[in-house]
């Protein structure tokens, strides 16, 4: 292969430049570490940028919103799989993380009377308080913040258009330690051998493993999880893949695009099957997992549309003369980008909520990930050694969300745990416990030998073709609806995919070798899919985002919670183990359940009232949370007419 080998030395390598990676790099460099950021895309062009731009900030709108309440929301929505220390860290640091985003240039809408950021008028599904802050320019501001943190940071170097191939480790005493990473710099046609005692994995998720998905970037191809597990780390909760419930089914160019959140449904929104039957009411109070499960079950029962979806019915919200204008104002101010997409795809009548929206779930987010502690440092089973120097942040890490991620939390998660991981990695590299690099080319030799020999591989397969087949197979067998037989079928097919990967025809080019990139990403997708499948096979009942059609339903009230840990043994075979999780104290659990049922009962009663009475009640509810905001719809001159397509909500 004609690739030049370039050697470099750093303290910390950060894989990914989104909200988590940029915060990690900024924190590590601020603590005195020499940092290299590695990104597939231009710096700042990540899922954080294409998000709707809604951020969870505890206490921003309600003084009664406690740290305990936010931590409980995360744990209970997640089926008690989230790790208490991690959810507490999220609750403790959400305000500081948002302050960091604002220092990097994020500009929220400001409530004039309080000179404070404006929270969405109603809590997003699963949240018990108004704590989601929106931004006029959506995720673009977060993308700019990430760019600013990296490009204008001190002591941070970065390479774009680069694929991180392997985390390089070596044995020191009784445990493996990170000694660097191997990187393909496509723009220069070089292999970078970077010596460093710490790697922070913040390379996003796995949504591109499926289609439809909400991803518009080069692909969340599971790089985070594949890199970590091959390096010896453990993964947890990998069966918990979030499928956003309300993605468009048509036209083809809009398939998979976001059409709203549960909160979009307003007080009177419901989900209907193809026959018009209500299959889920009180949608506004539901989690994403509940909404997705309702649609999937209807489709599997033959009650879905021809495109494999159901209908989100918002029409009742606009029947009230007084409350209807508040509802439309809520959509225009809170979800402007999404509404622009709906208007472009389905027409003006749909955007005005006068017609039903045909929607289906789309792959969005991985709630599972690398097993770490609240500081992002890798942890392991007692029977296995910890990979020293390996950290994770953002969507790469597990333990934050468990069985369901609440809306607006991802853009908080990134800077919260990115900053924590950055500081922890810097302490490892610059403190008393710094690992002195005595590593020679020998540690990199096996990886260099393998990857240098890939270009020029002859075969009759293409990586892009195998990826499309893998997406179809994954959706059918380990997608939103799963069975034991389907999962086992998929596990048998993985071996064939791996054999076919060795038949991919790979160009000998050095610069921008797309066939080489396709091979790398396919391999990562296969490792990630394998981890999902073995985890899904082990969890026999439905829980949160994991839905087994042939199993029961796990009860958060009566069943002991556990996470599934996945790892590679000495024979490079995927193994699983169950990790018991502490249950939420029954007093708090009962209070949460009763509160939830009371709210949903109130919503059902509201739906059967006469329209005139509904109108007065709902108007007062909107007025209580929207304050003095003008309820009148925007005039045509000021109405959002964006042509941008937002693929996902925060």
């Amino acid at each position: 292969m004609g690739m030049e080998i370039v050697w470099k030395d750093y303290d910390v390598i950060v894989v990914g430049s989104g909200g988590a990676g940029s915060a990690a790099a900024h924190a590590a460099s601020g603590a005195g570490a020499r940092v290299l950021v590695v990104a597939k895309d231009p710096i700042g062009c990540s899922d954080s940028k294409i998000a709707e731009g809604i951020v969870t900030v505890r206490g921003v709108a309600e003084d009664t919103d406690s740290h305990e309440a936010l931590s409980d929301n995360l744990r209970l929505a997640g089926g008690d799989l989230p790790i208490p220390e991690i959810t507490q860290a999220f609750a403790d640091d959400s305000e500081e993380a948002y302050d960091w985003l604002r220092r990097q240039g994020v500009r929220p809408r400001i409530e004039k009377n309080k000179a404070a950021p404006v929270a969405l008028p109603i809590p997003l599904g699963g949240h018990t308080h108004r704590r989601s802050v929106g931004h006029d320019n959506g995720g673009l501001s977060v993308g700019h913040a990430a760019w600013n943190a990296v490009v204008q940071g001190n002591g941070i170097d970065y390479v774009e258009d680069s694929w991180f191939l392997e985390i390089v480790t070596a044995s020191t005493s009784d445990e493996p330690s990170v000694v660097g990473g191997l990187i393909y710099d496509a723009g220069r046609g070089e292999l970078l051998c970077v010596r460093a005692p710490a790697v922070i994995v913040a390379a996003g998720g796995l949504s591109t493993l499926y289609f439809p998905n909400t991803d518009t970037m080069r692909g969340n191809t599971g790089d985070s999880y594949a890199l970590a597990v091959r390096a010896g780390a453990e993964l947890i909760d990998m069966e918990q893949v979030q499928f956003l419930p309300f993605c468009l089914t048509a036209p083809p160019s809009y398939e998979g695009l976001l059409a709203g959140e549960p909160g979009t449904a307003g007080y009177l929104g419901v989900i209907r099957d193809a026959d018009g039957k209500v299959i889920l009411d009180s949608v506004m109070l539901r989690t994403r997992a509940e909404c997705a499960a309702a649609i999937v079950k209807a489709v599997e029962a033959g009650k879905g549309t021809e495109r494999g979806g159901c209908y989100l019915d918002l029409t009742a919200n606009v029947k009230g003369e007084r409350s209807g204008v508040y509802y439309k104002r809520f959509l225009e101010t809170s979800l402007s980008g999404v509404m622009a997409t709906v208007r472009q795809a389905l027409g003006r009548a749909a955007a005005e909520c006068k017609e039903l929206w045909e929607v289906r779930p789309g792959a969005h987010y991985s709630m599972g990930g690398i097993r770490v502690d609240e500081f992002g440092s890798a942890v392991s089973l007692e029977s296995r050694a910890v990979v020293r120097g390996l950290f994770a942040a953002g969507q790469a890490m597990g333990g934050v969300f468990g069985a369901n991620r609440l809306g607006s939390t991802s853009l908080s998660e990134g800077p919260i745990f990115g900053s924590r991981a950055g500081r922890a990695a810097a302490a490892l590299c610059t403190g008393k416990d710094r690992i002195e690099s005595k590593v020679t080319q020998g540690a990199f030799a096996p990886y260099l030998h393998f990857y240098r020999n890939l270009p020029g591989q002859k075969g009759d397969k293409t990586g892009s073709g195998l990826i499309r087949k893998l997406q179809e197979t994954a959706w059918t067998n380990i997608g939103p609806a799963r069975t034991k037989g389907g999962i086992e079928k998929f596990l048998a097919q993985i071996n064939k995919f791996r054999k076919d990967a060795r038949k991919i025809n790979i160009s000998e080019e050095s610069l921008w070798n797309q066939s080489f990139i396709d091979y790398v990403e396919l391999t990562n997708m296969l490792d990630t899919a394998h981890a999902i499948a073995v985890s899904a096979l082990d969890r026999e009942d439905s829980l949160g985002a994991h839905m087994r059609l042939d199993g029961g339903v796990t009860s958060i009230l009566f069943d002991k919670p556990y996470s599934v840990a996945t790892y590679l043994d000495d024979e490079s075979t995927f193994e699983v183990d169950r990790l018991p999780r502490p249950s939420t104290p029954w007093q708090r659990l009962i209070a949460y359940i009763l509160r939830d049922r009371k709210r949903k009962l109130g919503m059902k009663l509201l739906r059967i009232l006469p329209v005139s009475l509904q109108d007065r009640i709902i108007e007062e509810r909107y007025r209580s949370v929207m304050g003095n905001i003008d309820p009148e719809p925007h005039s045509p001159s000021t109405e959002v007419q964006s042509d941008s397509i937002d693929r996902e909500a925060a």
Side-chain angles (χ1 to χ4, degrees), residues 79-81 539-543 551-563 578 580-584 589 593:
D80 265 346
L81 302 190
R539 188 176 293 280
E540 298 177 349
D541 288 348
S542 296
L543 176 65
V553 178
T554 299
S555 169
I556 191 173
L557 187 58
F558 300 109
D559 293 325
K560 296 284 187 182
Y562 66 89
S563 286
R578 293 187 176 184
R581 296 296 191 213
S583 300
T584 298
L589 181 57
I593 292 173

Side-chain angles (χ1 to χ4, degrees), residues 627-646:
N628 296 322
I629 294 178
D630 182 8
E632 294 298 323
H634 289 171
S635 67
S637 61
T638 60
E639 185 178 2
V640 176
Q641 298 289 340
S642 173
D643 291 328
S644 65
I645 299 175
D646 292 302

Side-chain angles (χ1 to χ4, degrees), residues 3-10 13 36 164-166 168 179-185 190-196 439-449 451-452:
M3 291 187 191
E4 181 183 355
I5 299 174
V6 179
W7 292 85
K8 295 178 178 291
D9 290 277
Y10 287 91
I13 306 172
L36 175 67
F164 199 98
L165 303 178
E166 298 288 348
V168 181
V179 297
L182 182 63
I183 301 155
Y184 171 50
D185 187 337
E190 298 173 344
L191 282 177
L192 305 182
C193 297
V194 183
R195 290 173 290 225
V439 179
T440 64
Q441 296 182 4
F444 288 80
Y447 304 104
L448 282 170
H449 177 77
Y451 285 104
R452 293 194 78 196

Side-chain angles (χ1 to χ4, degrees), residues 277-291:
K277 180 183 177 181
V278 175
I279 58 174
L280 192 69
D281 59 21
S282 308
V283 173
M284 187 183 82
L285 301 180
R286 307 286 183 170
T287 65
R288 291 164 161 177
E290 289 178 284
C291 296

Side-chain angles (χ1 to χ4, degrees), residues 313-585:
D313 184 356
L314 313 177
T315 58
N317 287 303
V318 296
K319 291 181 179 179
E321 283 186 22
R322 296 164 15 165
S323 63
V325 292
Y326 274 99
Y327 174 67
K328 288 193 284 187
R329 178 73 166 130
F330 160 65
L331 293 181
E332 291 171 356
T333 56
S334 303
L335 298 165
S336 59
V338 170
M339 296 309 295
T341 299
V342 170
R343 183 166 51 249
Q344 294 163 359
L346 304 180
R348 185 166 294 277
E352 294 176 352
C353 304
K354 297 176 181 179
E355 294 181 353
L356 278 59
W357 302 357
E358 186 181 356
V359 294
R360 63 176 292 188
H364 178 59
Y365 203 93
S366 174
M367 279 87 69
I370 304 167
R371 188 181 174 205
V372 296
D373 60 18
E374 66 270 30
F375 301 102
S377 181
V379 295
S380 188
L381 299 168
E382 291 185 4
S383 60
R384 303 184 69 248
V386 176
V387 182
R388 182 178 174 85
L390 178 59
F391 300 82
Q395 198 173 167
M397 69 180 288
V400 188
F401 302 120
N404 184 63
R405 183 180 69 82
L406 300 182
S408 79
T409 53
S410 67
L411 294 184
S412 302
E413 177 197 24
I416 288 172
F417 295 106
S419 296
R420 284 174 165 250
R423 291 192 293 268
L428 174 69
C429 301
T430 61
K432 295 180 180 179
D433 295 331
R434 175 182 172 88
I435 301 172
E436 296 297 332
S437 180
K438 299 179 181 179
V439 179
T440 64
Q441 296 182 4
F444 288 80
Y447 304 104
L448 282 170
H449 177 77
F450 177 77
Y451 285 104
R452 293 194 78 196
N453 286 318
L454 271 178
Q457 173 178 286
K458 304 300 182 183
D460 58 356
K461 305 292 184 181
T462 65
S464 58
L466 290 176
I467 287 173
R468 286 194 294 272
K469 290 181 181 178
L470 178 59
Q471 289 175 323
E472 296 170 1
T473 307
W475 183 271
T476 302
N477 297 300
I478 57 169
R482 301 164 182 173
T483 63
K484 179 181 179 182
I487 299 169
E488 290 176 337
K489 179 181 178 182
F490 183 78
L491 285 169
Q493 291 173 315
I494 280 183
N495 292 326
K496 184 173 187 309
F497 274 108
R498 293 191 188 279
K499 290 179 181 177
D500 285 343
R502 294 195 288 269
K503 301 176 184 177
I504 294 175
N505 193 66
I506 301 177
S507 165
E508 296 183 357
E509 294 294 324
S510 300
L511 291 171
W512 276 106
N513 190 332
Q514 187 61 52
S515 55
F516 178 84
I517 293 169
D518 287 344
Y519 174 90
V520 170
E521 294 190 331
L522 173 64
T523 300
N524 289 342
M525 292 170 75
L526 287 171
D527 285 342
T528 299
H530 206 148
I532 294 171
V534 296
S535 298
L537 190 63
D538 187 79
R539 188 176 293 280
E540 298 177 349
D541 288 348
S542 296
L543 176 65
H546 170 72
M547 189 167 69
R548 285 284 294 267
L549 299 178
D550 55 350
V553 178
T554 299
S555 169
I556 191 173
L557 187 58
F558 300 109
D559 293 325
K560 296 284 187 182
Y562 66 89
S563 286
V564 180
T566 311
Y567 57 93
L568 289 172
D569 64 14
D570 294 338
E571 305 298 323
S572 295
T573 300
F574 276 94
E575 300 287 348
V576 298
D577 205 343
R578 293 187 176 184
L579 304 175
R581 296 296 191 213
S583 300
T584 298

Side-chain angles (χ1 to χ4, degrees), residues 102-122:
R102 293 186 67 178
R103 290 196 298 273
Q104 303 310 315
V106 170
R107 296 290 181 264
R109 305 184 188 104
I110 299 297
E111 189 172 345
K112 294 180 180 179
N113 295 338
K114 298 182 179 180
V118 178
L120 298 192
I122 53 180

Side-chain angles (χ1 to χ4, degrees), residues 142-371:
V142 182
H144 177 76
W147 179 91
N148 189 64
V150 173
V151 175
Q152 298 192 18
N154 295 318
I156 303 175
D157 293 335
Y158 59 90
V159 288
E160 303 169 314
D161 302 323
S162 297
W163 275 253
F164 199 98
L165 303 178
E166 298 288 348
I167 299 170
V168 181
T169 62
S171 294
T172 58
S173 62
D174 295 329
E175 59 185 10
S177 295
V178 169
V179 297
L182 182 63
I183 301 155
Y184 171 50
D185 187 337
R188 294 182 174 87
E190 298 173 344
L191 282 177
L192 305 182
C193 297
V194 183
R195 290 173 290 225
V199 170
I200 302 174
V201 182
L206 52 74
S207 59
T208 307
L209 176 61
Y210 302 93
F211 186 85
N213 60 65
T214 62
D215 190 23
T216 59
M217 309 309 290
R218 286 183 182 155
N220 281 312
T221 51
D223 305 343
S224 295
Y225 320 112
L227 289 169
V229 79
R230 291 201 299 265
E234 294 173 16
L235 310 176
I236 57 168
D237 301 326
M238 289 300 293
E239 79 280 4
Q240 299 292 348
V241 179
Q242 185 171 61
F243 297 88
L244 281 188
F246 305 141
C247 296
L248 297 176
T249 65
S253 60
Y254 285 77
E255 187 176 3
L257 296 185
L258 179 68
E261 290 281 345
T264 308
Y267 291 102
L268 303 177
V270 298
I271 301 175
R272 300 181 184 274
D273 64 17
D275 298 327
K277 180 183 177 181
V278 175
I279 58 174
L280 192 69
D281 59 21
S282 308
V283 173
M284 187 183 82
L285 301 180
R286 307 286 183 170
T287 65
R288 291 164 161 177
E290 289 178 284
C291 296
I295 297 172
V296 170
K297 288 178 180 177
V299 172
E300 292 294 322
K303 299 293 185 179
T305 65
E306 292 184 359
R307 299 187 184 96
C310 288
Y311 294 105
L312 179 60
D313 184 356
L314 313 177
T315 58
N317 287 303
V318 296
K319 291 181 179 179
E321 283 186 22
R322 296 164 15 165
S323 63
V325 292
Y326 274 99
Y327 174 67
K328 288 193 284 187
R329 178 73 166 130
F330 160 65
L331 293 181
E332 291 171 356
T333 56
S334 303
L335 298 165
S336 59
V338 170
M339 296 309 295
T341 299
V342 170
R343 183 166 51 249
Q344 294 163 359
L346 304 180
R348 185 166 294 277
E352 294 176 352
C353 304
K354 297 176 181 179
E355 294 181 353
L356 278 59
W357 302 357
E358 186 181 356
V359 294
R360 63 176 292 188
H364 178 59
Y365 203 93
S366 174
M367 279 87 69
I370 304 167
R371 188 181 174 205

